[in-house]
Amino acid sequence: MILYVQDYIQVGHRLTTLPGKCQQIHGHSMLVKIALEVDVPPGEDLAVNANGAVLDFSDVKKTFRGHINSVYDHHLLLGKNDPLVELNLPGMTLVDGDPTVENIAKWIFNFMSNDFPISYVEVQETATNGVIYP
Ligand SMILES: [Zn+2]
């Protein structure tokens, strides 16, 4: 069974490696969904983790929302090698690579996978495009 949690983040960013309009600072209202593959044992009503413990949805939501709110929401994501980092702009969050939607999905997946059996992370960047990782 797949369970999921989703929420919106408002993100500013720019991409230095992609020629064109994405090099300008701009923003997105991104819909982020995390999906967990879980087992619901026969005769049971709730999903369980690999260790057999009940997977508490509120734990997933607390960790997920805490992470995306503190790192991404209303922040300006800049790659640590971006020359604009020197300006120390308000709300900057420095990230390891260009803050592409592909990387954002990967980073959230890696963070959440520390604590939960994440199957995939989906990030919808605009009304017409997004990514699913992996
Ligand atoms: Zn963008």
Side-chain angles (χ1 to χ4, degrees), residues 11-77:
V11 175
H13 75 162
R14 79 181 198 118
L15 309 180
T16 60
T17 56
L18 185 63
K21 64 183 181 181
C22 290
Q23 291 196 355
Q24 301 169 18
I25 294 174
H26 63 281
H28 297 280
S29 181
M30 295 182 178
L31 178 61
V32 182
K33 176 193 283 189
I34 59 168
L36 298 83
E37 188 164 1
V38 298
D39 287 325
V40 179
E44 298 293 330
D45 302 318
L46 294 169
V48 296
N49 280 318
N51 62 7
V54 170
L55 180 68
D56 189 336
F57 239 21
S58 63
D59 289 342
V60 178
K61 285 192 260 189
K62 184 178 176 185
T63 301
F64 173 59
R65 290 182 174 146
H67 179 62
I68 64 173
N69 286 338
S70 64
V71 177
Y72 299 99
D73 189 47
H74 285 78
H75 285 257
L76 171 61
L77 306 180

